[in-house]
Amino acid sequence: MRAIARSIHQFRSALRQKTCNYSTGLVRRRRLLTNSCSGLAHELPNNASFDRFRHPTFFGSRPLSIDAVQVTNGDANRGGPLVEYERRIAVGELFDGDACQVGTLRELQRLYDELVQSADACRLDRYTASRKSGRSRWLWSRFIPQSSSAPVKGLYLYGGVGTGKTMLMDLFFDQLQCSWRKKRIHFHDFMLNVHSCLQKHQGVEDPLEVVAGEISDEAILLCLDEFMVTDVADALILNRLFRHLFNNGVILVATSNRAPDNLYERGLQRDLFLPFIAALKERCVVHEIGSAVDYRKLTSAEQGFYFVGKDLSGLLKEKFQQLLGDHEAHPEEAEVVMGRTLKVPLGANGCAYFPFEELCDRPMGAADYFGLCKKYHTLALEGVPIFGLHNRTAAYRFVTLVDVMYENKCRLMCTAEGTPLELFDRIVTISDAQQMSPRTSSRSRKNDDSELCVDNELGFAKDRTVSRLTEMNSKEYLEHHATALEANNLHEDVNEDKTVQA
C-alpha cells in the first residue's frame, strides 16, 4: 500500500504546474485624508429646501464591481508592506506614520519576510486546481493523509474602530506575489460561502473536512477582514472548520475589533467555541493596534446623503429620482445566495429604494444584503430609527447592512431620526451599564431603564457602524464612489462596443 501511495503521489506531483491565481475581489483603496473634520450630517427642519447634489452625472445603471486584474510580472519590485507604507506617506497618500500603525506594519513585514523565505515549505507557490472533486478528495485523504500545519504562524490584528486595520491588511495583501495561493475576503462573506458549501456537501460523513479541503486548495494564505462572531451556528462551525484548515497548512491573517479571548463573549454554548480561541492563539501571533485616532472621522462631511429629521419621505424620494435621471423606478427582484430572490420596492439605474422596515425589520441577513450590493451601487433607506431595547434585532440587521455596503463600496442615502451617534446612544455594553448603574447591567430587571439596550456584541459593533457611516457620508468617500462608478460604466460601454463589432 505504501508503494502504491508513493507512486500515486509521484504521478500527481508530475502533473503540477505553476499558475497565477489572483481572485481576490479586492477593490484597492486610496486613502486621501484631510486635516479638516466638520459636521457629520445635515439636520433638517421640516419643509427645508436643498441645493442639487454636487455631482449629478455620477449615477450609472450598473452596480460597482472592480475586480483585481491578473498580475504576471512586477513581483520583484515588491518589498513588503512597510516599504509600501513609507512610499505612500512620501507621496502624500497617507498621513505621517502613526506609531501604532508602524508597529503593526513591522509585524506584517515580519510575516511577509517569513512567507517569502518559507514559500516552498508553506506550499504557497505550488498551487494547481485539484482534478478531484471535493468529495473524492475527502475519500482519497482517508487512504493518503496529506495534512500538516504551516511552519509560519499567521497574524491576528485587533483594535478600535477606524484605526486602519483594513487598510493595513489590504496593503499587506497587495504586496504578496501573484502566484501564491491567497484570498482576501470579508468575514461575513467567508461564512456565507462556508454555509453554501456545507449545503452542497450534505450527506458526507464530515462535510466540514471537505469544505476545508476546498478552501485550502484555493488559498493557503487566508486573509479575513472584520472577524466577528455573533451567530451560534458560526461559533459551532468555526472550531472544527479551522482545525481542518490549520491541519491543511492554512495561514490565517485576520482583523477584528475584539481580542481573541473576547470573541463570542457570553454567546450561547460558548464552551464549545473556546477550543477555537485556543487554536487561534496557537497558530497566530496576536497583535493589538493601540491607536486612538479614528481615521474615518478625519474625512470631511460637509455634503452628503444622510439627512436628519422626521417626515422627510418626500425629500428622499425627490433625491432618489434625481439619481435615476430619465429612468423610471418600479418593483424589481435581486438574486441572493442559494437561489433565493429578494423583492425590491423601487429600483432602476443601479439604485434601490427601501423603507427601513422592509430592509431591517424582516428576517434578513448578510446574504440578502450581499445580493443587493451586487445589483445596486446605491441604496436609499427611509426612516432609520433611534435604536434601543425594543428594536435590538433591527439594530443588528442595520449594523450588518452597513458592514456589507461599506465592504462593497456602496453609497447610502437615508433619512434618520438622529445622527449616527444618536442612533446608537441607548446601546451600551455590560461594562458601560455597570458604570452607569449597577441595576442596568441586568437585562431582566423590571425597574431598569426600558429604553436602554444592554448588549455586549451590539455595544462593541456600534462604534464601528458610527465610524463607517461617518466615512460613507464624507466627500472623499462619495468622490471615490463616483470615480469608480464612472470607470465601471466606461468599462461596460467598451465591452458593449466590442460585442457589437463582433
Side-chain angles (χ1 to χ4, degrees), residues 76 122 178 344:
C122 294
C178 71
V344 179

Side-chain angles (χ1 to χ4, degrees), residues 336-454:
V336 294
V337 298
M338 303 178 189
R340 296 191 299 110
T341 59
L342 177 65
K343 292 184 178 180
V344 179
L346 291 173
N349 200 26
C351 304
Y353 186 101
F354 283 90
F356 178 83
E357 295 78 12
E358 288 286 320
L359 209 52
C360 298
D361 255 349
R362 296 169 54 196
M364 299 175 68
D368 302 293
Y369 301 144
F370 273 111
L372 280 177
C373 290
K374 287 180 180 179
K375 184 171 183 178
Y376 301 101
H377 58 71
T378 299
L379 295 184
L381 193 60
E382 177 189 332
V384 182
I386 300 290
F387 297 113
L389 190 61
H390 68 288
N391 59 359
R392 181 194 319 190
T393 304
Y396 266 106
R397 294 194 184 105
F398 182 69
V399 166
T400 302
L401 173 64
V402 172
D403 281 345
V404 173
M405 291 188 67
Y406 183 85
E407 179 67 16
N408 286 273
K409 303 297 174 290
C410 290
R411 178 174 47 192
L412 174 66
M413 180 171 67
C414 71
T415 60
E417 293 183 3
T419 66
L421 195 59
E422 292 169 343
L423 294 182
F424 291 92
D425 191 50
R426 298 171 184 169
I427 308 292
V428 297
T429 63
I430 294 175
S431 175
D432 292 337
Q434 288 174 336
Q435 292 179 6
M436 296 166 59
S437 170
R439 294 185 60 81
T440 59
S441 63
S442 169
R443 304 185 189 189
S444 60
R445 305 237 177 144
K446 295 181 179 180
N447 294 331
D448 287 346
D449 183 352
S450 60
E451 295 298 322
L452 197 66
C453 176
V454 182

Side-chain angles (χ1 to χ4, degrees), residues 15-21 120 124-128 179:
L15 294 176
R16 291 184 177 179
Q17 58 183 359
K18 292 183 185 248
T19 62
C20 181
N21 184 14
D120 289 342
L124 282 169
D125 216 8
R126 296 179 181 174
Y127 177 78
T128 55
S179 60

